[in-house]
Amino acid sequence: MNIKTLKREWFSNVKADLLAGAVVGLALIPEAIAFSIIAGVDPKVGLYASFIIAVMTAFLGGRPGSISAATGAMALLMIDLVKDHGLEYLLAATFLTGILQVIFGLLKLGRQMKYVPRAVMIGYINALAVLIFLAQLPQLINVPPAVYVLTILSLVIIYILPRFTKAVPSPLVALAVMTIAAIALKLEVPTVGDMGELPGSLPLFSLPQVPLNLTTLKIILPYSLTLAIVGLLASFLTAALVDELTDSPSDKNQEAKGQGIANIVTAFFGGMAGCGMIGQSVINVQSGGRGRLSTLASGVFLLFAILVLKDWVRQMPMAALVAVMIMVSIGTFRWSSIRNLRRVPRTEVVVMLTTMFVTIFTRNFALGVATGIVMSTVFFSQKIALLVVVDKVLSEDGNHRTYKVAGQIFFLSKEEFLESFDFRELVDQVTIDLSQAHLWDQGAVEVVDKAVSKFRRNGADVEVIGLNKASGTLFDKLAVHKGSVVIPD
């Protein structure tokens, strides 16, 4: 990294990065505790992981301004492992997850993000926004009226204050004001301290206490592989969203390696596996964070808050943090995707909505994205299959018919291809010109073979010309009727 890059990524936005990092650091505390509870481990496991992963990705990640820590998507995948085998196996699985992610990064898996359609990405992001909002509802049910008052006042501060000043991030002001008010007025409302005990010391280095044998590998490998894939998918989508919000590029392969190294390190300090967080990254960007300093500050401030300010943090009303997370869900949701429902192609709307609802109802981000990609592939293939055009030219003497085919011939376009020919026409010679077409698979060769066979049964001499080299090679390997086909060298 040269001096120019160092200044741009670390020191071009110091004040805003530090303040945004403080907001994110506070917002990380209840989430890390909640995700620890979901995974079935002590709150300090999620808190230590969030601190270490944020700090490591600040230096090694591929997307400045992106926030990584313990996440709900990863916590959901750990439940059975912790329940059946305990914390030490989770730490071993976290270590292996990191190793796999580093390997994926070295294999440049980040390039494969181009195969994730935009409709799938929007569906994923919208689902995340909805799930973030739904996750706040338990904090708003069967609670004292003061909780609703604090939540509404926090939202007022968050949305109104920026109209007058942006010197300090409005979520940070809301958290500070509501905490002081709750303490001064001695309000009986749920606080961060009610979520779990905050750790009182720095994380210590230790190796996962598991047997180093094949049995252990068989136990942790399936979990690690799933965690590695889901973690990278979430991190890549987070990086892509920050790219969009800041109009700047990211290095996704470096992001994969950075996430991997962060998970390896956190496993040695008693932390659970984590990944990129869309919600927290949106908070960071909306609070003014742009550089690596904001990511580092979020981790450092998280640790500072739980070790030094823990007496204050413990009294922070959950209502204020709920308001911040509601702001995150509103900011994360792509409202333009709803406004443009009638403007974008119907198939993309179906893909976006399916990805979104599958993710919401299953709480499985990998399943939602995989479903969206499969649907996009099917719809795209159907569109391409329809783009087969056949021009028909009859010679002046009426004995020679030429079919000029243009388009992509593959298994889905077989029907359109065959329907373009008139096999009942009585002519002496037929020429099928494929100079504007491409044969992609065995189905394409089969359908050309079938057309040749049908014309021959009617007594016509058939010639296939114009095959490009790739199509000719495929045809030469698989076709039955090669005699009348001109195959390029």
Side-chain angles (χ1 to χ4, degrees):
M1 183 182 293
N2 56 42
I3 298 298
K4 188 177 179 181
T5 304
L6 183 70
K7 287 183 177 178
R8 186 183 70 247
E9 293 191 353
W10 279 95
F11 304 113
S12 61
N13 188 39
V14 173
K15 180 183 175 184
D17 280 349
L18 291 174
L19 290 173
V23 176
V24 175
L26 286 176
L28 280 173
I29 293 173
E31 287 207 343
I33 295 173
F35 298 149
S36 300
I37 294 171
I38 289 174
V41 296
D42 193 86
K44 68 180 182 183
V45 176
L47 290 167
Y48 286 158
S50 294
F51 159 66
I52 293 169
I53 293 172
V55 170
M56 295 299 296
T57 53
F59 290 98
L60 301 174
R63 175 61 259 183
S66 176
I67 303 298
S68 298
T71 67
M74 300 287 268
L76 289 170
L77 301 173
M78 305 170 184
I79 296 174
D80 291 338
L81 177 62
V82 175
K83 182 180 177 183
D84 296 338
H85 302 283
L87 174 62
E88 294 300 325
Y89 279 82
L90 172 61
L91 301 182
T94 297
F95 171 76
L96 185 56
T97 297
I99 295 291
L100 293 173
Q101 289 178 329
V102 171
I103 293 173
F104 291 156
L106 294 174
L107 294 176
K108 301 187 184 303
L109 190 65
R111 290 181 180 175
Q112 310 312 315
M113 271 299 291
K114 63 185 177 184
Y115 296 111
V116 180
R118 180 170 176 76
V120 176
M121 289 183 60
I122 293 175
Y124 174 95
I125 292 169
N126 285 349
L128 182 67
V130 172
L131 289 174
I132 291 173
F133 179 81
L134 293 177
Q136 310 313 309
L137 295 183
Q139 300 294 335
L140 298 173
I141 297 174
N142 296 324
V143 293
V147 171
Y148 302 110
V149 175
L150 291 179
T151 303
I152 293 172
L153 290 177
S154 298
L155 287 170
V156 169
I157 292 174
I158 288 170
Y159 284 107
I160 301 298
L161 183 63
R163 298 183 182 182
F164 300 97
T165 178
K166 294 183 179 179
V168 180
S170 60
L172 186 61
V173 175
L175 291 171
V177 170
M178 292 304 123
T179 302
I180 293 172
I183 295 173
L185 299 174
K186 298 182 179 178
L187 297 177
E188 294 292 333
V189 294
T191 64
V192 172
D194 297 328
M195 299 288 289
E197 187 62 31
L198 300 179
S201 62
L202 290 169
L204 300 176
F205 179 88
S206 66
L207 296 174
Q209 299 301 308
V210 296
L212 299 177
N213 54 36
L214 191 59
T215 302
T216 299
L217 183 62
K218 286 180 179 178
I219 292 172
I220 65 173
L221 181 58
Y223 291 99
S224 297
L225 186 59
T226 306
L227 287 167
I229 293 172
V230 171
L232 287 188
L233 184 61
S235 300
F236 290 161
L237 290 174
T238 302
L241 179 61
V242 177
D243 290 352
E244 184 179 315
L245 292 174
T246 61
D247 194 23
S248 57
S250 60
D251 184 341
K252 303 217 171 32
N253 293 320
Q254 181 58 41
E255 179 70 10
K257 289 182 277 189
Q259 292 288 336
I261 295 172
N263 279 323
I264 291 171
V265 174
T266 195
F268 292 129
F269 287 91
M272 58 199 278
C275 64
M277 304 180 78
I278 287 182
Q280 298 294 348
S281 298
V282 170
I283 293 181
N284 191 42
V285 172
Q286 290 186 343
S287 299
R290 293 291 185 276
R292 294 181 183 275
L293 189 60
S294 63
T295 309
L296 177 65
S298 68
V300 172
F301 198 84
L302 165 68
L303 187 68
F304 179 78
I306 60 177
L307 294 182
V308 180
L309 304 178
K310 64 179 181 181
D311 290 337
W312 283 80
V313 172
R314 189 180 292 120
Q315 299 178 74
M316 184 179 294
M318 285 301 298
L321 286 164
V322 166
V324 173
M325 297 312 295
I326 290 175
M327 177 205 76
V328 172
S329 66
I330 293 173
T332 301
F333 197 90
R334 302 291 90 185
W335 298 99
S336 60
S337 66
I338 303 300
R339 290 194 297 270
N340 294 332
L341 280 179
R342 294 186 177 180
R343 298 170 60 185
V344 300
R346 187 173 299 174
T347 53
E348 292 195 31
V349 172
V350 172
V351 170
M352 186 271 287
L353 292 177
T354 303
T355 303
M356 178 176 156
F357 286 116
V358 168
T359 304
I360 290 173
F361 287 114
T362 65
R363 306 291 176 107
N364 187 324
F365 292 94
L367 179 62
V369 171
T371 303
I373 291 175
V374 169
M375 290 186 66
S376 294
T377 304
V378 171
F379 287 144
F380 178 75
S381 299
Q382 288 177 335
K383 287 180 183 177
I384 294 296
L386 295 175
L387 296 178
V388 175
V389 178
V390 179
D391 287 333
K392 306 171 186 176
V393 178
L394 184 64
S395 64
E396 291 183 356
D397 59 10
N399 290 324
H400 184 191
R401 172 68 75 180
T402 300
Y403 294 92
K404 295 183 178 180
V405 182
Q408 309 302 313
I409 314 299
F410 62 111
F411 70 100
L412 277 181
S413 56
K414 292 190 322 184
E415 198 171 308
E416 286 76 12
F417 182 82
L418 282 178
E419 287 176 350
S420 302
F421 296 96
D422 182 1
F423 296 109
R424 292 173 297 182
E425 185 180 36
L426 297 177
V427 293
D428 295 332
Q429 187 174 358
V430 171
T431 299
I432 302 175
D433 184 353
L434 296 174
S435 57
Q436 301 300 315
H438 188 93
L439 307 185
W440 283 102
D441 58 13
Q442 187 175 345
V445 175
E446 178 193 359
V447 77
V448 174
D449 249 351
K450 196 170 186 177
V452 171
S453 175
K454 282 192 172 187
F455 280 124
R456 284 182 177 172
R457 278 204 298 269
N458 289 340
D461 290 329
V462 185
E463 184 181 30
V464 179
I465 63 173
L467 283 170
N468 58 40
K469 190 172 182 179
S471 299
T473 301
L474 188 67
F475 202 91
D476 190 37
K477 290 180 180 176
L478 303 173
V480 176
H481 301 291
K482 301 178 185 176
S484 58
V485 178
V486 179
I487 298 176
D489 296 330

